[in-house]
Amino acid sequence: MTVEITVIPGDGIGHEVIPAAVRVLESLDLDVETHEAVAGDAVLEDTGTPLPDETIGLARETDATLFGATGHTSADVIIPLRRELQTYANVRPAVAYPGVDALHPETDLVFVRENTEGVYSGIEHDLTDDVSVLTRVITETASRRIAEFAFGHAVDRGADAVTIAHKANVMRLTDGKFLETAQAVGEHYPEVETRTAIMDALAMYLVLDPTEYEVIVSPNLAGDVLSDLAAGLVGGLGLLPSANLGEERGIFEPVHGSAPDIAGQGIANPAAAVLSLAMLLDHVGFPAEANRVDAAVQAVLASGPRTPDLGGDATTESVTDAIIDELAQ
């Protein structure tokens, strides 16, 4: 059966790194069909909406979505798209690859971030000209679901521990609910140690020694901040892929954003987009090919060519060519 994938380049370097990932996909000669859709700043200017119904419909109908990045409209695109496809788990690995100048070369951890609520629920309004209010939503249902995903992922990964990141010492009701629910889930996984860490202290501990951590589960905002911090430990945002996973659909995207400062120059690092493709391939039933793509990216990161963010002078195209050459060997 043909696997169908929606491809959304979005804005900025999304138009450079997502076509690179599609080239890598095409080189594998799999029974996969891609369908391009639009979203983002330019689409808002052209149509009046940054996320057309046609794009949402296509993402619903296909097996998975490969997403690039959006600019100013990011909160109006990726958050609603995640919600529409019910992709409640955001999975962000942070791995220090051989050959990359990383602050902590032994880093190998994954963040599992709740994707549907928290401060990203979109409930905010002005009470007066002087007062703006945001409502933070934490439910036991969503907390249990993401904790079960995290502990299950830890078992699959062979991890010894899951760390629950929280701020229950201050947000006693909301993060208290998240913490208590996740701890209760952990009791059903005796083979995995349950740890807890206050999220701001965890930021410091990650910088000091990220090797102490394997799987970190957290509410939405904390996972967003901490995973970006981890990117700095392993060599930059250009190396981090991610997956948004639900019961049926998945959205796979590089973490780096649209990078307007380098967009159009042809020097964006395609590694995160191609690694996101590897996660997608594993999700849709091509684990062997996913491993091959991951290994090819690692080989190119180790030996070059490298884009400017990693100290080289290579182009997006030449790095993509090198990855495809590795796959052909």
Side-chain angles (χ1 to χ4, degrees), residues 244-263:
N244 304 278
L245 301 175
E247 300 300 333
E248 296 182 4
R249 298 288 180 265
I251 307 168
F252 301 82
E253 56 173 323
V255 175
H256 52 56
S258 63
D261 55 324
I262 62 168

Side-chain angles (χ1 to χ4, degrees), residues 125-209:
H125 60 277
D126 292 324
L127 285 181
T128 68
D129 290 341
D130 186 53
V131 180
S132 298
V133 176
L134 179 146
T135 301
R136 185 173 193 260
V137 178
I138 299 289
T139 66
E140 184 177 342
T141 299
S143 300
R144 182 184 302 108
R145 183 173 60 180
I146 196 64
E148 288 174 347
F149 184 100
F151 279 93
H153 186 78
V155 171
D156 293 342
R157 179 183 167 92
D160 295 323
V162 170
T163 300
I164 305 166
H166 68 93
K167 192 66 176 173
N169 58 323
V170 175
M171 295 180 284
R172 295 171 181 170
L173 292 180
T174 51
D175 262 27
K177 184 182 294 293
F178 182 87
L179 174 61
E180 292 171 8
T181 304
Q183 286 178 308
V185 169
E187 293 176 1
H188 297 284
Y189 292 85
E191 69 273 45
V192 180
E193 180 186 356
T194 300
R195 302 175 182 172
T196 67
I198 296 175
M199 60 181 68
D200 48 339
L202 179 58
M204 178 190 68
Y205 296 141
L206 282 169
V207 171
L208 291 174
D209 187 5

Side-chain angles (χ1 to χ4, degrees), residues 64-84:
T65 296
L66 184 62
F67 181 85
T70 43
H72 295 296
T73 56
S74 181
D76 301 311
V77 175
I78 190 58
I79 293 176
L81 189 59
R82 291 168 178 163
R83 189 174 296 124
E84 289 287 341

Side-chain angles (χ1 to χ4, degrees), residues 54 85 104 123 160 164 168 203 216 249 260 262 271 312:
E54 295 81 3
L85 299 186
H104 288 283
I123 306 171
D160 295 323
I164 305 166
I216 297 172
R249 298 288 180 265
I262 62 168

Side-chain angles (χ1 to χ4, degrees), residues 19-312:
V22 171
R23 283 186 57 208
V24 172
L25 173 63
E26 291 171 346
S27 76
L28 297 171
D29 196 26
L30 300 174
D31 189 9
V32 174
E33 184 176 351
T34 60
H35 308 271
E36 185 161 330
V38 297
D41 297 359
V43 182
L44 174 63
E45 292 182 10
D46 292 341
T47 69
T49 176
L51 183 61
D53 290 341
E54 295 81 3
T55 296
I56 297 173
L58 189 59
R60 282 179 179 152
E61 293 166 7
T62 52
D63 298 292
T65 296
L66 184 62
F67 181 85
T70 43
H72 295 296
T73 56
S74 181
D76 301 311
V77 175
I78 190 58
I79 293 176
L81 189 59
R82 291 168 178 163
R83 189 174 296 124
E84 289 287 341
L85 299 186
Q86 300 180 33
T87 57
Y88 64 89
N90 184 255
V91 182
R92 292 188 175 187
V95 180
Y97 295 110
V100 175
D101 185 15
L103 289 177
H104 288 283
E106 304 302 319
T107 304
D108 185 359
L109 57 89
V110 62
F111 294 87
V112 177
R113 164 190 167 199
E114 205 291 316
N115 230 7
T116 65
E117 51 183 35
V119 296
Y120 290 4
S121 299
I123 306 171
E124 56 180 340
H125 60 277
D126 292 324
L127 285 181
T128 68
D129 290 341
D130 186 53
V131 180
S132 298
V133 176
L134 179 146
T135 301
R136 185 173 193 260
V137 178
I138 299 289
T139 66
E140 184 177 342
T141 299
S143 300
R144 182 184 302 108
R145 183 173 60 180
I146 196 64
E148 288 174 347
F149 184 100
F151 279 93
H153 186 78
V155 171
D156 293 342
R157 179 183 167 92
D160 295 323
V162 170
T163 300
I164 305 166
H166 68 93
K167 192 66 176 173
N169 58 323
V170 175
M171 295 180 284
R172 295 171 181 170
L173 292 180
T174 51
D175 262 27
K177 184 182 294 293
F178 182 87
L179 174 61
E180 292 171 8
T181 304
Q183 286 178 308
V185 169
E187 293 176 1
H188 297 284
Y189 292 85
E191 69 273 45
V192 180
E193 180 186 356
T194 300
R195 302 175 182 172
T196 67
I198 296 175
M199 60 181 68
D200 48 339
L202 179 58
M204 178 190 68
Y205 296 141
L206 282 169
V207 171
L208 291 174
D209 187 5
T211 64
E212 288 291 315
Y213 303 93
E214 297 172 273
V215 176
I216 297 172
V217 61
S218 71
N220 208 328
L221 177 60
D224 198 1
V225 173
L226 291 172
S227 59
D228 275 14
L229 178 146
L233 305 179
V234 301
L237 286 171
L239 299 173
L240 264 63
S242 74
N244 304 278
L245 301 175
E247 300 300 333
E248 296 182 4
R249 298 288 180 265
I251 307 168
F252 301 82
E253 56 173 323
V255 175
H256 52 56
S258 63
D261 55 324
I262 62 168
Q265 299 179 39
I267 58 171
N269 189 345
V274 178
L275 290 169
S276 297
L277 170 67
M279 297 180 76
L280 183 155
L281 289 171
D282 184 65
H283 179 72
V284 298
F286 296 108
E289 289 77 7
N291 289 335
R292 288 180 57 210
V293 170
D294 189 272
V297 173
Q298 291 196 44
V300 172
L301 289 173
S303 63
R306 299 187 182 94
T307 45
D309 61 304
L310 298 180

